Amino acid sequence: MIFSVNSAFSQKLLLKGSDSVLPLGQKVAEQFMKSNKNVNISVVGGGSGVGITALIDGTTQIAMTSRPIKMDEKLRLQNAGRQYKEVKIAFDALSIIVNPGNKVTQLTREQIEGIFTGKIKNWKEVGGDDLKIVAYARETSSGTYEFFKEHLLNRKNYAATCLNMPASGAVIQSVSQTKGAIGYVGLAYLDKSVKAIGVSTDKGKTYVKPSVATAKNKTYPVVRPLFFYYPTKSEAIVKPFIDYVTGKTGQGLVSQIGYISLDGF
């Protein structure tokens, strides 16, 4: 479907923020530009916090985030005189990953908390081999970092030994190359170089692995929405693209990328 755009939209459009949303933003932008030749869209990662800061500074038209906007960010936007709108664009099953050589296939939320807060240091403590655990996390500017801390670490601090990675691709690479590694990424980043494990939030009664199907039927316990935020004053410029992303074609691309479409949740 071709969206008609006004002359203002023939200018460049920048999407900035969440590394989790990045592959989706890139794919949708690429397809949108094929149908709208006068549109030039750039998509840049860096983390949800980076996207929101750019929105506050007025240096991006759309902030991509993997978490809701925080109260202090709302205040900063208010102080900057910037009204904004929130658009939910997809859902993601946040996946806990280990090296394929690791015999551990499932962990409870409490065990995950113990690993990432530094209380559990060896895989033999959770049924694995006698092997030191190497935990990989995202940077503090990442929405995934904050979502993981809130929902899986019970708001406890990460251990100082956690290795913070600048991007989800870096987490995948590090876990795939380190036998004792564990990390977390958005569902769309999963590939055969790592192993996604089952997660239990009922103290080990049931374990569920991440997938589009388990996210849709709400059996996988770590599902989150993904967002776009944009300035209200720029609505005329960004609305055609927003409508495309949330429409039938855009939501089809959401499923292609490996995330969960709005109508599928």
Side-chain angles (χ1 to χ4, degrees), residues 185-207:
V185 294
L187 185 64
Y189 280 91
L190 289 183
D191 62 30
K192 293 181 179 179
S193 70
V194 295
K195 181 173 72 175
I197 62 170
V199 177
S200 171
T201 54
D202 57 8
K203 299 187 183 299
K205 292 178 185 176
T206 55
Y207 292 88

Side-chain angles (χ1 to χ4, degrees), residues 1-5 31-39 240-241 243-244 249:
M1 183 176 182
I2 298 177
F3 282 75
S4 61
V5 294
Q31 293 303 312
F32 185 83
M33 287 189 289
K34 285 182 180 178
S35 301
N36 296 274
K37 302 297 185 183
N38 58 336
V39 181
F241 180 69
D243 288 346
Y244 182 81
T249 303

